[in-house]
Amino acid sequence: MTQWTNDELDRIAAADELEMAPRRGDNTLRGPVPIWVVRAGDDLYVRSFRGTDGGWWRTARACHEGHIRSGGVDKDVTFVHVADSEINDRVDTAYRTKYGRFGGAYVNPMVAARATTLRLVPR
């Protein structure tokens, strides 16, 4: 399995947003949408602000592949659903730390959206 380089992890983690373009069932990419991304350890994670109703999230869960762009990094990725509570605890902390300056109205829905946690794995 391909790994992120330290430079890629640092650049993406330093960016406020990531452009997410999940692959559809017909193998085309959905239009990119800006979302928040966090780093926890040597992995990158995203969640859907709209929970399981988020359109990009439903597409990502259906096909498990897509393309991301952030911090000058442009990569095809695999989306891996994360249900592990310890990992989700670290992701919660990462969201609060990175985005806390935006306030609870934005951060709290991201923390509450644990069911939508996806790990980004480079391909």
Side-chain angles (χ1 to χ4, degrees):
M1 189 177 290
T2 304
Q3 299 288 324
W4 295 106
T5 67
N6 284 330
D7 180 60
E8 290 170 332
L9 287 167
D10 290 344
R11 288 165 57 192
I12 294 171
D16 272 341
E17 293 181 328
L18 174 138
E19 289 183 16
M20 165 72 68
R23 192 165 301 284
R24 296 182 182 113
D26 66 2
N27 212 29
T28 62
L29 290 175
R30 178 185 160 104
V33 294
I35 62 170
W36 285 355
V37 59
V38 296
R39 178 181 180 176
D42 289 334
D43 291 308
L44 298 168
Y45 299 92
V46 295
R47 288 180 176 165
S48 171
F49 183 84
R50 300 195 190 296
T52 56
D53 292 332
W56 73 262
W57 185 83
R58 289 191 320 265
T59 303
R61 283 285 290 156
C63 287
H64 307 284
E65 292 184 353
H67 190 86
I68 60 103
R69 186 175 301 129
S70 182
V73 178
D74 203 329
K75 277 284 193 206
D76 288 327
V77 294
T78 299
F79 305 115
V80 178
H81 184 253
V82 177
D84 182 279
S85 63
E86 287 182 29
I87 292 173
N88 270 299
D89 288 346
R90 291 195 306 264
V91 173
D92 290 350
T93 299
Y95 271 106
R96 286 185 184 109
T97 301
K98 182 174 180 180
Y99 297 108
R101 69 187 185 276
F102 293 105
Y106 294 100
V107 176
N108 291 344
M110 297 304 288
V111 171
R114 289 170 67 114
T116 68
T117 305
L118 299 176
R119 181 167 52 101
L120 304 178
V121 179
R123 291 190 288 126

